[in-house]
Amino acid sequence: MVMRISVKPTFSIAVVTLSLLFALLIFSLSSPFSQTSLPAPSNLGEKGIWNVRRMYEWRPCKWWLQSHLPALPAQTNGYIRVDCYGGLNQMRRDLCDGVGIARLLNATLVLPKFEVAAYWNESSDFDDVFDVDYFIQQMSGFIRVAIELPPEIASREPFHVDCRKRKGQFDYIESVLPFLLEHHYISITPAMSQRRDRYPQYAKAALCQACYTALRLTRSLEKKASELLEAMPKPFLSLHLRFEPDMVAYSQCEYTGLSPGSIKAIEDARGERKPWTGELAQLWRKRGKCPLTPNETAFILQALSIPTNTHIYLAAGDGLMELEGLTSVYSNVVTKSSLLSGEDFKSMHGNTKAALDYYVSVNSDSYVATYFGNMDKMVAAMRAFKGLYKTLFLSRRAFAEFTSRGLKGEELSQALWEAHRDDFVAGKGSALPDCFCEFEL
């Protein structure tokens, strides 16, 4: 559901005043909004990207926050457990989807299972990361949550329904409900792509409530995250930088000028996945498929007039390559491991460490990401929920396009400024449309 108010002017030339013309010159934007250019970054002084006037922003939809939900049916169709895989925010996404599915099928939700993932150095479960009692309390009226299973259910494993490979036309009522009615206890892995527009509003509201209101970190984890947030000098920017060997290997992109250590790490991670070459490599890069290096990230941040003395919290896991490309320009860069110490921090695993990055990023003064992955989407949406709109995703596509044209130096900086300004003005990528509506300012 998207609320829009038309802003197309319907006035005659005779009533255009000098003040209106002046306002249009100040606030008009380049394509797709207009052909008037804003000043280049070098003329902006200390203003930078965050002082550009936005035209759109995402806010929680009223049908979610203020709607009167129908009462839960007297009888449940059975029990559903959501099996979550991957990193913390991928599992969080699957849980949110699972809550919506359980409400859609009139099922009682069993607390999710976080699958142990050796790749993520992970062994924590749902209650190691999230406050279970708070989750159950916040979901009251939206969905039933089982604290304990009936003996006849608890004594057996659920019938598993794997929906991950299903496409957008996948219908849970047609394809999953029969298994629920037959077995009474099933586990699911939600589909990667779903048609949530077909959900009734009460199922959408349950999904949104779970994602943005009901998931609070455990008291001990939130205490550690608060310590980390307090340790950061204010104001600060949280930067989610992705340039790890596995990510570069997965992208199948080639890079020049990397250190021998980085090249070896990438080659070790490639396996049989070979990089693209020739025209295919150029096309792949221009489609925005190649991760930004720390050096490229620093160049774009400068193009956006983000001062080089900015305090930056680096929200990233271990294994980042070529980091000196960023820190040689932006010297005030810190990580969770540089701010926290002690055995309690050293004993943390992938999910709990990722939860620290998530918490700090959501509550940072500004947030910039070089990717648009699960963490970035969740952080941006939660920041929109909290009314924090200094959020931006760096455009790999724009950087590749401009550099392929031979742009460099001030000319490249100007082009990058205009591209990212337009994204920020339009609120591009600021929230997930499942639970948020777009408003014109």
Side-chain angles (χ1 to χ4, degrees):
M1 175 180 177
V2 176
M3 297 183 62
R4 295 181 181 274
I5 304 173
S6 176
V7 294
K8 294 183 178 179
T10 56
F11 49 79
S12 66
I13 296 176
V15 297
V16 177
T17 64
L18 182 62
S19 61
L20 180 56
L21 285 172
F22 180 75
L24 288 172
L25 286 172
I26 294 295
F27 294 114
S28 61
L29 305 165
S30 65
S31 179
F33 306 106
S34 81
Q35 296 301 314
T36 306
S37 295
L38 289 177
S42 58
N43 297 328
L44 287 174
E46 295 298 315
K47 293 184 178 179
I49 190 69
W50 308 127
N51 292 80
V52 173
R53 176 179 175 269
R54 298 188 316 279
M55 290 182 66
Y56 301 92
E57 65 184 29
W58 293 85
R59 302 173 188 169
C61 299
K62 289 184 179 180
W63 57 256
W64 159 34
L65 296 178
Q66 300 177 9
S67 63
H68 299 285
L69 300 176
L72 293 170
Q75 296 294 324
T76 178
N77 286 330
Y79 297 84
I80 286 182
R81 186 187 75 192
V82 186
D83 291 349
C84 304
Y85 296 84
L88 175 65
N89 288 286
Q90 180 179 334
M91 292 195 284
R92 184 189 183 109
R93 180 203 67 193
D94 287 347
L95 170 60
C96 297
D97 288 339
V99 169
I101 295 163
R103 182 64 184 93
L104 178 69
L105 303 182
N106 182 31
T108 299
L109 183 75
V110 179
L111 290 179
K113 180 181 180 183
F114 281 10
E115 292 294 336
V116 174
Y119 175 82
W120 297 98
N121 185 27
E122 188 47 57
S123 60
S124 54
D125 213 332
F126 179 79
D127 56 1
D128 293 316
V129 180
F130 298 112
D131 187 329
V132 172
D133 292 338
Y134 184 79
F135 178 78
I136 294 172
Q137 173 195 342
Q138 291 297 311
M139 294 311 299
S140 176
F142 288 88
I143 194 172
R144 292 184 179 89
V145 180
I147 301 176
E148 294 183 357
L149 290 171
E152 68 275 12
I153 297 292
S155 62
R156 58 185 172 88
E157 281 295 306
F159 179 84
H160 185 63
V161 184
D162 192 342
C163 311
R164 282 178 293 181
K165 302 301 182 182
R166 308 298 183 96
K167 301 300 181 183
Q169 301 302 318
F170 180 64
D171 190 298
Y172 284 98
I173 293 179
E174 293 177 0
S175 301
V176 177
L177 183 58
F179 291 113
L180 177 65
L181 295 174
E182 178 183 355
H183 298 279
H184 304 296
Y185 180 30
I186 67 173
S187 66
I188 62 170
T189 49
M192 295 295 289
S193 176
Q194 301 175 57
R195 288 295 304 271
R196 299 188 189 94
D197 57 314
R198 297 178 178 179
Y199 285 16
Q201 281 197 346
Y202 59 79
K204 291 182 182 179
L207 183 156
C208 298
Q209 178 74 1
C211 234
Y212 302 108
T213 302
L215 290 177
R216 184 174 73 181
L217 299 180
T218 63
R219 292 187 182 277
S220 60
L221 192 52
E222 187 168 281
K223 181 175 182 293
K224 183 62 64 177
S226 296
E227 290 176 14
L228 187 56
L229 183 63
E230 286 300 315
M232 280 300 302
K234 311 296 188 301
F236 74 96
L237 179 151
S238 180
L239 174 64
H240 191 208
L241 179 59
R242 301 297 310 275
F243 198 69
E244 303 94 343
D246 61 287
M247 187 176 195
V248 175
Y250 182 79
S251 73
Q252 296 181 268
C253 297
E254 285 273 51
Y255 293 84
T256 59
L258 300 184
S259 69
S262 296
I263 294 172
K264 184 180 186 305
I266 295 168
E267 290 301 321
D268 290 345
R270 281 202 199 280
E272 297 183 0
R273 185 183 288 110
K274 302 302 180 185
W276 298 107
T277 59
E279 291 185 5
L280 283 176
Q282 296 178 22
L283 178 62
W284 193 246
R285 184 172 291 276
K286 289 174 73 171
R287 288 178 59 191
K289 299 296 185 179
C290 297
L292 292 168
T293 69
N295 181 265
E296 292 167 346
T297 300
F299 185 90
I300 299 175
L301 293 180
Q302 286 180 286
L304 303 180
S305 288
I306 293 176
T308 56
N309 63 350
T310 298
H311 291 284
I312 295 178
Y313 175 82
L314 191 59
D318 299 327
L320 267 181
M321 303 181 297
E322 308 291 316
L323 189 55
E324 64 277 3
L326 173 71
T327 56
S328 62
V329 179
Y330 288 86
S331 56
N332 294 326
V333 177
V334 297
T335 64
K336 53 186 173 292
S337 59
S338 67
L339 292 174
L340 294 179
S341 60
E343 291 303 317
D344 55 343
F345 174 70
K346 293 178 182 178
S347 64
M348 285 184 172
H349 292 284
N351 280 346
T352 47
K353 284 186 175 180
L356 298 180
D357 284 340
Y358 173 84
Y359 183 92
V360 173
S361 295
V362 165
N363 293 286
S364 61
D365 298 285
S366 53
Y367 179 73
V368 173
T370 64
Y371 197 60
F372 194 50
N374 291 308
M375 174 173 168
D376 309 305
K377 294 172 184 176
M378 297 301 298
V379 167
M382 186 57 77
R383 287 177 61 81
F385 180 75
K386 295 165 68 76
L388 304 173
Y389 291 100
K390 291 182 179 180
T391 303
L392 190 66
F393 298 97
L394 302 190
S395 177
R396 294 169 291 166
R397 185 190 294 267
F399 187 86
E401 174 64 31
F402 297 145
T403 53
S404 71
R405 296 185 205 167
L407 272 60
K408 58 181 66 175
E410 184 61 29
E411 191 177 19
L412 176 59
S413 180
Q414 173 67 27
L416 289 168
W417 161 256
E418 293 176 358
H420 287 87
R421 177 204 61 204
D422 288 355
D423 285 351
F424 185 66
V425 163
K428 185 176 179 180
S430 293
L432 301 178
D434 293 320
C435 308
F436 293 81
C437 295
E438 192 179 53
F439 287 78
E440 287 195 10
L441 302 178

